[in-house]
Amino acid sequence: MKWMKVSSYEEMSKVACSIFVKQLQYKPNSVLGFATGGSPVGFYKEMVKSYQEGEISLDQVRSFNLDEYIGIPFNSPASYYSYMVENLFRHVNIPKESYHLPDGNAIDLKEECLRYDKSIEEAGGIDIQLLGIGVNGHIAFNEPGTSFESLTNIVNLTESTRIENARYFESLEDVPTQAITMGIQSIMNAKEIVLIAFGDKKVNSIKQLRGGKITEDFPASQLLKHPNLTVIYGSEG
Ligand code: PGA
């Protein structure tokens, strides 16, 4: 486990990107695990820059995102699909058939969950997974109380997560009530995990993580058992 303290959001983004760049230089056909939200925006900017400067190519990469809302069109501006296209995919040379997000509009959502874990497995597993952390310790949409054994599944979003994510929608009522998320075990199956967290809002969750107590009440704590975890964190204060 590696703890890397940084002094700015930009530094966090650059450090996280440099880990992915190294991975891609070592294994150009890596399977990458991507995350959405506010934390990785700078990371994707750095990835695009590295691509434009010829440091990396994404033509052989396959990627899997952590989660997607249920019940909004995949191309709605608030979907995680749209987030990924806007922040990364449309700027780099990853083929359209190579990136994957769970399908929140699948007719059989339970089947979709099984299919998603299976397609990650068939790709050879995730080489390196990017992760954010929620103020309550959630990872992806795995809220406190989620079983550490969980695989990709359908979850009801907590009120606090819906309020937190309302900034991406016109109103709170528009925020979906459910999502498909990779489970904690699906995330733990990645060969390497990079968790990024910057800002005063994240200080307490990082403190709790550093405290070392592994409990399902704090989903991120299971990551402490991962053999190859890097936490890149910091705050203004
Ligand atoms: P954020 O969310 O990156 O938008 O702060 C992280 C998370 O809730 O997992």
Side-chain angles (χ1 to χ4, degrees):
M1 191 180 331
K2 210 160 151 190
W3 294 86
M4 300 178 77
K5 191 156 194 258
V6 291
S7 48
S8 69
Y9 177 83
E10 287 69 33
E11 189 186 352
M12 175 188 79
S13 307
K14 283 195 171 116
V15 172
C17 178
S18 70
I19 297 173
F20 276 67
V21 166
K22 263 196 215 116
Q23 170 71 29
L24 285 174
Q25 288 172 340
Y26 158 73
K27 185 182 173 192
N29 63 347
S30 291
V31 180
L32 305 181
F34 286 140
T36 51
S39 305
V41 170
F43 164 85
Y44 292 124
K45 280 208 177 92
E46 292 298 326
M47 287 285 282
V48 170
K49 210 163 114 203
S50 298
Y51 165 71
Q52 286 169 344
E53 288 171 358
E55 264 192 302
I56 51 167
S57 172
L58 283 88
D59 61 337
Q60 295 179 55
V61 156
R62 279 144 312 149
S63 76
F64 291 88
N65 264 75
L66 289 167
D67 43 16
E68 180 60 284
Y69 291 114
I70 289 176
I72 58 170
F74 79 96
N75 57 355
S76 140
S79 75
Y80 288 168
Y81 177 88
S82 297
Y83 172 104
M84 289 306 299
V85 170
E86 279 310 306
N87 284 284
L88 182 68
F89 298 151
R90 75 185 179 91
H91 305 287
V92 297
N93 64 340
I94 186 167
K96 198 168 187 306
E97 62 277 12
S98 299
Y99 56 79
H100 310 274
L101 289 92
D103 180 1
N105 287 295
I107 292 167
D108 187 337
L109 289 166
K110 278 202 178 130
E111 185 60 34
E112 172 61 9
C113 294
L114 297 173
R115 187 198 66 80
Y116 201 67
D117 279 319
K118 199 157 161 246
S119 43
I120 294 173
E121 203 183 306
E122 282 169 1
I126 291 172
D127 288 304
I128 181 164
Q129 174 71 55
L130 183 71
L131 270 188
I133 182 170
V135 290
N136 60 2
H138 74 207
I139 47 173
F141 276 128
N142 297 290
E143 300 289 0
T146 304
S147 162
F148 283 155
E149 265 118 64
S150 56
L151 295 172
T152 298
N153 66 110
I154 301 162
V155 289
N156 295 322
L157 303 185
T158 60
E159 201 53 16
S160 69
T161 294
R162 290 185 67 240
I163 291 168
E164 186 69 29
N165 290 2
R167 61 197 148 128
Y168 297 109
F169 293 84
E170 281 187 11
S171 70
L172 180 59
E173 291 75 63
D174 293 334
V175 184
T177 54
Q178 287 191 310
I180 297 190
T181 183
M182 278 169 63
I184 296 178
Q185 186 57 53
S186 326
I187 294 169
M188 287 292 283
N189 288 343
K191 295 170 189 117
E192 178 172 358
I193 296 177
V194 175
L195 186 144
I196 54 173
F198 193 85
D200 296 343
K201 243 173 64 184
K202 299 292 165 84
V203 167
N204 284 339
S205 41
I206 289 296
K207 209 181 263 171
Q208 191 161 345
L209 188 62
R210 290 206 86 163
K213 185 172 167 217
I214 298 176
T215 161
E216 286 181 351
D217 291 337
F218 193 74
S221 63
Q222 177 73 340
L223 301 174
L224 299 171
K225 286 198 184 153
H226 196 279
N228 196 356
L229 169 71
T230 301
V231 182
I232 309 169
Y233 70 102
S235 62
E236 290 91 359

